[in-house]
Amino acid sequence: MKFTTYLHSLEDSNPSIIRQGEDVIQGLSKEFKSLPAKYFYDDHGSELFEQICELPEYYPTRTEAWILQQYANEIAQITGNCELVELGSGSSTKTLFLLEAYQKITDRCKYIPIDVSGGILKSTVVKLQEKYPTLSIEGLIGTYEQALAKLESTPVASRMIFFLGSSLGNFNPEECEVFLSQISRTLQPGDYFLLGVDLQKPKEILEPAYNDSRGVTAAFNLNILSHLNWRFQGNFDLNLFAHQAIYNQADAEIEMYLRCQKSHWVSLEILDLNVFFPEGESILTEISRKFDLESLQKQLQEQSLKTVKIWTDPKRWFGLILCQTSNIHVDPA
């Protein structure tokens, strides 16, 4: 049996461009400027991130892939047949280990990949449908929040939402609580949540992963400005900014910045926004928090997500946590 692939955009069909850019206005108007990391991921940004995942310095992708390769069959056996929903699917490269495992236990597997980049999502689902002709795929183009809000009830006995790549680390503590609460409220009792997280380790390992020798991470960081130029008719000069990534030991997080090299003004015409950048000022573009497994399990438990099992690599650099929802959902205070 061959299934049809569906792609749906969750974006407002007639959005206000100003409303779309309110987070940019807010971020660039603060004393300490910042930009939402979601603006990394236009089609070119998504392609650059895929290149980052192949870099020798960038251990998270290959380490998580090793864990999935070793334990995907065990994960499928624990959960049984369930609808698979992936947040931030990208090229779905690591997901192949899970799809292979679930194809072994059912011939009616359904996969719902979700990504903000329509280009990479369309390319990915076409390749997956060719590789797995009996796999039912429904791609959703949009943010995590949009996708979780739009998920319909599944005809399958249960559902597993999975969030790989330690993308949870891109949320600050408050955003993390809101996100986990939404996951908990989206899932039904007995459903599953599979979470990949980067674990705490020395900065001598962490900092090179975000300052690669080929400059791909720098290009990825600077691309956020190109995306803003295109989306909001801006005039950011990428030559006037430099990539910087440092490990904040106190908060256990990598912080990625764009540092201004020369004082100048920038305008984003559609947003009617003019911003002055003095030499030496930085824009915070991303955080990547590193987790302690014991603390994270407690946080998940507070959101009615009970740990079923944890898998790590031999160095304990990365963790994969399988949770199952309980009957009680706790709203954040």
Side-chain angles (χ1 to χ4, degrees), residues 141-316:
I141 304 169
T143 65
Y144 308 145
E145 296 84 359
Q146 290 171 329
L148 291 172
K150 293 289 186 179
L151 280 179
E152 299 177 352
S153 59
T154 174
V156 186
S158 63
R159 165 182 283 158
M160 181 173 77
I161 295 177
F162 56 105
F163 196 38
L164 303 177
S166 198
S167 297
L168 185 71
N170 299 143
F171 298 135
N172 65 38
E174 293 76 20
E175 293 168 338
C176 185
E177 284 294 327
V178 171
F179 172 77
L180 292 178
S181 174
Q182 189 174 15
I183 290 289
S184 180
R185 287 183 281 107
T186 301
L187 294 172
Q188 297 298 311
D191 284 349
Y192 294 93
F193 179 47
L194 182 66
L195 177 65
V197 290
D198 200 7
L199 304 180
Q200 295 176 10
K201 58 186 71 66
K203 75 172 185 177
E204 289 77 18
I205 298 171
L206 288 166
E207 287 192 348
Y210 296 84
N211 292 286
D212 66 275
S213 58
R214 300 180 193 176
V216 182
T217 310
F220 173 73
N221 197 9
L222 287 163
N223 183 68
I224 197 171
L225 303 182
S226 295
H227 187 188
L228 295 181
N229 282 345
W230 168 79
R231 184 172 290 274
F232 302 116
Q233 293 184 17
N235 64 346
F236 277 105
D237 184 343
L238 275 61
N239 294 315
L240 296 181
F241 291 88
H243 164 75
Q244 182 183 35
I246 60 172
Y247 184 54
N248 180 334
Q249 188 85 41
D251 294 333
E253 65 185 26
I254 285 284
E255 296 171 354
M256 206 152 74
Y257 296 94
L258 290 172
R259 186 174 179 84
C260 179
Q261 304 298 291
K262 179 182 177 181
S263 298
H264 67 289
W265 283 89
V266 170
S267 66
L268 294 165
E269 187 174 332
I270 288 181
L271 301 181
D272 193 24
L273 180 67
N274 295 291
V275 184
F276 179 69
F277 289 92
E279 181 178 345
E281 184 177 49
S282 295
I283 312 170
L284 176 66
T285 54
E286 183 179 55
I287 63 168
S288 183
R289 296 166 60 216
K290 309 305 172 185
F291 293 93
D292 171 76
L293 283 174
E294 184 177 349
S295 299
L296 182 55
Q297 285 182 82
K298 292 178 181 177
Q299 187 176 12
L300 289 163
Q301 180 67 54
E302 290 171 357
Q303 296 294 344
S304 304
L305 297 166
K306 183 179 179 181
T307 300
V308 175
K309 192 161 186 178
I310 295 176
W311 299 271
T312 66
D313 60 286
K315 295 181 179 178
R316 292 183 66 85

Side-chain angles (χ1 to χ4, degrees), residues 10-29:
L10 302 175
E11 298 290 344
D12 188 338
S13 60
N14 187 29
S16 162
I17 194 71
I18 299 297
R19 190 171 74 247
Q20 280 187 332
E22 283 178 351
D23 48 5
V24 175
I25 296 171
Q26 181 180 8
L28 294 181
S29 301

Side-chain angles (χ1 to χ4, degrees), residues 61-80:
T61 300
R62 64 176 177 270
T63 306
E64 185 178 37
W66 182 90
I67 298 171
L68 285 165
Q69 185 176 23
Q70 297 297 312
Y71 300 110
N73 288 335
E74 184 178 351
I75 293 168
Q77 290 298 324
I78 291 173
T79 67

Side-chain angles (χ1 to χ4, degrees), residues 42-148:
D42 60 356
D43 288 347
H44 183 53
S46 295
E47 291 170 1
L48 286 170
F49 183 73
E50 294 299 320
Q51 293 177 36
I52 288 172
C53 293
E54 299 296 325
L55 293 170
E57 299 97 331
Y58 195 74
Y59 65 86
T61 300
R62 64 176 177 270
T63 306
E64 185 178 37
W66 182 90
I67 298 171
L68 285 165
Q69 185 176 23
Q70 297 297 312
Y71 300 110
N73 288 335
E74 184 178 351
I75 293 168
Q77 290 298 324
I78 291 173
T79 67
N81 180 26
C82 58
E83 181 181 84
L84 304 174
V85 179
E86 181 173 14
L87 302 177
S89 56
S91 64
S92 299
T93 303
K94 292 174 293 186
T95 310
L96 295 180
F97 297 116
L98 288 170
L99 294 178
E100 291 280 357
Y102 280 93
Q103 291 269 301
K104 293 176 184 177
I105 65 173
T106 178
D107 59 356
R108 298 190 63 83
C109 185
K110 182 174 182 180
Y111 173 51
I112 303 178
I114 295 159
D115 205 279
V116 293
S117 172
I120 197 167
L121 185 60
K122 291 173 186 176
S123 173
T124 296
V125 297
V126 168
K127 292 176 182 177
L128 287 176
Q129 197 69 88
E130 291 175 352
K131 185 175 179 64
Y132 303 108
T134 63
L135 177 65
S136 176
I137 307 175
E138 182 179 359
L140 300 179
I141 304 169
T143 65
Y144 308 145
E145 296 84 359
Q146 290 171 329
L148 291 172

